[in-house]
Every structure is written in structure tokens, then in C-alpha cells.
Amino acid sequence: MQKLFRLKYWWLLFIIAFFGVVYATSFFSYRIDLTAEKRFSLSNSTKQLLKGLDSTITIKVFLTGDMPSDYKKLSIATKDLLSEFKSIAGNNIKVVFEKPAEGVTDDTDKMMIYDSLARLGVVFDRTEVVTNNKDKQTNELVVPSALLMYKNHLPLAIDLRSSRKVFKDYNVMNDNPVEDVEATRNAAEALLEFKFASVIDKLTRKYVPTVAYCLGNGEPKDLKVNDLGQSLRNEYNLGVFDLKKNYPDAAAIDALIIVKPTMPFTDDDKLKIDQYVMHGGKVIWFVDKLYAELDSLMRSNADFVAFDRNLNIDDILFQYGVRINGDLLQDLNCSKIPLVYGHNPDGSPKMQRIPWPYYPFLTSPGDNPISKNIDRVLPLFPSSIDTIQVAGIRKTILLATDTNSRTMTTPAMVSLNSVKDEQDFRSFNKSHVPVAVLLEGKFKSLYANRLPQNLLDSVQKNSGKPYINVAEKEGKQIVVSDADIVTNAVSPTQGPMDMGMIPFENYRFANREFFLNSVDYMVSNNQLFESRNKEFKLRLLDKQKVSTQKTTWQFINIVLPIFLIILFGFIMQFVRKRKYAA
């Protein structure tokens, strides 16, 4: 090194070496994520997806411009994530931030643009912004959405908001839940990678899975499954399969959905489902074991007894690893229903919404990506589920009640006044009772070593595949003890409502998200679900301290540094004068 500095033009060599290093580093980039939750790191499955793109995907983000601080933070997080996407995919990712209808002055033209975007799935949010001194309030239209376009495919929209709302602590009996906006937006940031990666996968996939809606045992075919059909049709090849007519083929049907059967299954029906599972088929069961409908209570205006539908599927579900109990599940953390408690002077009814423990809120008790990071799911008259020890089958609880639950065994009396006194309150002593269970592993046939040869030959003849006792490979099933999670209410004035909504409850629960996640988990071969388990810790300043100590910290951060610099200058000048004066 000393020899180098003795050279006449050592500085020129240093400059050349410096620019050489800068030029060399332009060919590669490397980032180190020092955050505890790896906030700025992409999962391996997302990286593989982006590296495999064969054409440009244009991403239009509409969350931009003037907006509340919580949305501004979400916009910045979206920009950072897409910058990381672009660094991996290169020119195959094009990102544009724009505000819809910006520059358009005619209100009619604006509404046409908004309407066309809404039909594509873009969501709009009207927010009220209040300043700290509360003397100014503005109303702003925010568009928390992004639109992804690829080749000649229909553009797909992403709702950048979280499907899971986080609420502040509250008393489930006396208080109404209040949303914690910062925590909700933070949950939205954690889901951004999964949302964008999932839509990119759907746009670029070469194979579209086939999902079949099973008929033959009294399943609904009317407007009560309107949202279910529309949701599946938008993302999969949706078919209808009549179990009475043929054997389902696992090679042609990726997932079979059984929703709210009302008629008993015959042994022939169960054999068809059983062999479909043995040959690799996936089944999602949404079953109401008991007959319990709110309409019956309202029509009779009296108590009624919930009775068993006798669907004759207990044995096949038991063989696979679960048992739907003949009971009704209640929880104090529940939705409300409207009841007439009198009349006004003009004769119109007086309505009051009361807690209805038969509609308990369900959440995920674990980290499974199907139900992780989604909002509460609303069932109607669910039953409890027990898991059974079956060799080779893994059981995962997807949805469960809260910590104040109880079960009412059949015959269960359904009453408007189901909680009467203190003794009734004390009976809500169960916690996290399962309502939805995921089963994974090599299933064994219900009919192993039980069928005569002529019936085995019949299976071969009618299905085109031989009867087998044990599944050829690991399979998946989901069993849910309430079918109304995936049906929708039908309003006499508005028609079919969204899945997860009930009349007079101006809130959409996460039933649709849970359903679509369940189907996606069944039929997808990618590992994008791992990014659903991301969870960002919310680190907020103490708002009370910020308000009371605002001036102090402004002085420390602004005035004090300037004062220290000036003081340092005076000291240096004083020392210099003393030194040279001497």
C-alpha cells in the first residue's frame, strides 16, 4: 500500500479502481433484510413465479394521491413490494401508479369510468379525515385497489385492504366492537405479497382446475348458492355433477364440493365418493347435521326443536377422521338478529338487534394458510366437530369458536331467549370448539374387505377404474359442520346478498375468503400459500405521549442540534484564539 502511494499518479489509479467497482456492482444487486419478521423478503415460491414470467404484466395501482395517513402507509408498502417484484422479474413487471379519472372534469364521464372499474372488481372507499384539533373534516374518495393485465386475459383486480378487521378489546356482552384502523392496515401490508402473487399465478397458469358442485341429495340449486357459483366461475372451470348418475372421476374433477345435503346418502352414493377419494380426488364437505333454520323460528314465533337430518354419512366421515356431533354450538361472541319488540304510534314495528349465540363468530386457532389472516367467519346454527385418531391422517383445525362457548345436544330446543339467567351464562365454559377441520394423508376406504366380487366388478365397469382399499397418494379433505357458511341470504327487494352477509347486518364477514382459500388449497400445486402466514408486528408511538410531549421532542430534534453546532463553533473559535494568541 505504501508503494502504491509513492507512485506519481496513484490518485488516478484510485479513481479508476473506484469507478470499476461501481460499474461491476451495477450487474448484480443484493439486499439484506434486517427486520425481525422479514418484512422486505419474498418467499421462494413468489420468486420462482416471478422468474418464470414469459411476458409483461402491467400493474396499475390506484391507491395514490392525497389520502389518510393509514392508506398512505399502505400505498408506500405496495410500492416497496412491487419494486422488489420488478427487481426479480425485470421488464416483465410494469408498475403504474395513477388515480382513476384524474383530469376528467365531467361528472358523467367520471361515473362511467368508476362503474367500468367496479365491474372489474375495483373497490372504492369514502373516508373522513379529521385534523388533530378536530376543527377541520374532509371527505375523500380512496381507491384501495390494483388492476393486473396480462396478454389478452381479462384484467384481475386486487383489494389492497385486509380481509381481516382487527378490533380493539371490548366486552362481548355490552360493547360494540371498534375497529383498530392501524392494526387492520398493518394486517393488509402482511397480505400484499400473497395477493399479488396469487393473482399473477391465476393470470399466467397454463391449467385451470375443474371444481364440481355435487347434486343428488337435496343440495340447493337456487339463488341461495348464487355467490358460491359466481365466485367459483371467476377463478375455475365450474361444473355440476349428479352423484346419482355416475362415478366422479378424479382425473377430470380436481375438487368435489358437497353443500347442504338434505336427503340421506345411500351406500352407492358413499361408495362413489369413497372411490373418488381413493383415486386422488379432493372433497369439501359443508354439512348441516341438524335441521335448524331461523325462518322456522320467525314463522312460528315460538320455540322449535332442532332435529337430526339423518344424512347417513357419519360412518364415512368417521373413517376419514372426523365426527360431526348432533348438537348446536353457541358462543357469547356472536352476531345479532333483529326482533320486533313493539309498535310505533303509526303502526310500524319497533326493531331491536339482540345478540344471537347460535350465530357465533369463528376464527383460526392456528397458522394454517387457509384461515390465517382472514376476518371472522359467520356460521348459522353450527355443530361441533370431534377429530378421530386415524393412522396416517393429519388433522388441522381451520375454524373454531371463541372462549365462551357451549353445546346443546339433540334434541336441541331453539329459543329466542336461550340465555335466561346467571346459570346459563356460567354454562358457556368451553373454548375454541372446532367447526372446520382439514384432513390430509392416505385415506382408507370405508368398504375395505366388505364388498362381494360382483360389486367390485360393478365398480370397475361403471367407473372405468378398479376398486382400491387405500388411496394411491396423499389426499385432502375439508369438513365443515355448517353449510350456511357458503350459502347466501336472498333479500326480497335486493335479491341475492353476498356470502357472509345477513339481513340488517351491514357487514360482510370473511365467509367467501375462507371458501375460496379452501378450494385453492385443494386444487393448487404451488406453494404461494406460505406467504399468507406473514405477520407484521405493529410498532406504534404512544399517542398520548406524542400529544403531551410534542413540543419537547420538536425542541430536541430541531432546536437542540442547531444549538449544539453553534456552541461547538464558539468553543472551537475560543480555543483557536487562545492557542494562537499565546
Side-chain angles (χ1 to χ4, degrees), residues 18-29:
F18 174 77
F19 282 105
V21 171
V22 171
Y23 179 74
T25 55
S26 66
F27 290 99
F28 63 91
S29 61

Side-chain angles (χ1 to χ4, degrees), residues 469-514:
N469 285 327
V470 182
E472 299 171 334
K473 57 183 179 180
E474 286 205 351
K476 305 173 187 175
Q477 294 190 63
I478 293 176
V479 180
V480 184
S481 62
D482 177 57
D484 292 309
I485 284 178
V486 294
T487 62
N488 57 260
V490 181
S491 167
T493 55
Q494 301 175 356
M497 301 175 67
D498 288 341
M499 193 186 304
M501 293 191 72
I502 56 176
F504 303 100
E505 178 82 66
N506 189 27
Y507 189 84
R508 187 177 72 81
F509 295 91
N511 297 32
R512 184 192 297 160
E513 286 77 11
F514 170 74

Side-chain angles (χ1 to χ4, degrees), residues 71-252:
Y71 272 128
K72 188 72 175 176
K73 185 171 179 288
L74 182 60
S75 176
I76 294 171
T78 303
K79 185 177 181 180
D80 291 340
L81 175 77
L82 295 180
S83 296
E84 188 68 17
F85 274 32
K86 190 170 177 62
S87 69
I88 295 174
N91 293 330
N92 285 330
I93 291 288
K94 180 181 178 184
V95 182
V96 179
F97 278 77
E98 64 176 40
K99 202 165 186 178
E102 189 172 25
V104 178
T105 55
D106 186 78
D107 290 340
T108 303
D109 292 341
K110 270 189 178 181
M111 291 307 300
M112 290 179 63
I113 294 173
Y114 291 157
D115 185 59
S116 62
L117 290 175
R119 284 198 295 269
L120 291 173
V122 174
V123 295
F124 299 83
D125 192 9
R126 182 70 67 176
T127 63
E128 291 184 352
V129 181
V130 183
T131 56
N132 290 334
N133 53 15
K134 299 183 179 180
D135 61 354
K136 183 181 179 182
Q137 180 172 318
T138 58
N139 196 288
E140 297 180 2
L141 179 67
V142 178
V143 190
S145 291
L147 201 63
L148 280 74
M149 291 162 284
Y150 175 74
K151 293 183 177 179
N152 58 348
H153 291 258
L154 183 70
L156 294 181
I158 295 177
D159 185 350
L160 300 177
R161 301 170 301 178
S162 173
S163 61
R164 176 171 69 99
K165 287 193 175 182
V166 182
F167 297 94
K168 299 177 181 178
D169 292 337
Y170 67 99
N171 186 304
V172 297
M173 291 303 301
N174 303 319
D175 301 337
N176 289 321
V178 177
E179 183 184 0
D180 188 334
V181 177
E182 289 91 350
T184 298
R185 295 288 178 264
N186 190 66
E189 290 183 37
L191 283 173
L192 286 176
E193 179 190 337
F194 172 75
K195 287 185 176 182
F196 278 100
S198 179
V199 171
I200 290 174
D201 177 63
K202 286 180 172 61
L203 283 171
T204 59
R205 63 189 175 186
K206 302 296 188 293
Y207 172 73
V208 180
T210 298
V211 178
Y213 182 83
C214 188
L215 294 177
N217 294 90
E219 294 84 358
K221 298 182 288 186
D222 54 8
L223 292 176
K224 290 183 180 179
V225 289
N226 178 76
D227 195 355
L228 181 149
Q230 292 295 337
S231 299
L232 289 177
R233 193 174 290 111
N234 291 336
E235 299 193 13
Y236 306 101
N237 290 325
L238 176 61
V240 175
F241 183 84
D242 193 334
L243 196 61
K244 300 294 184 183
K245 295 181 179 179
N246 210 338
Y247 278 75
D249 184 3

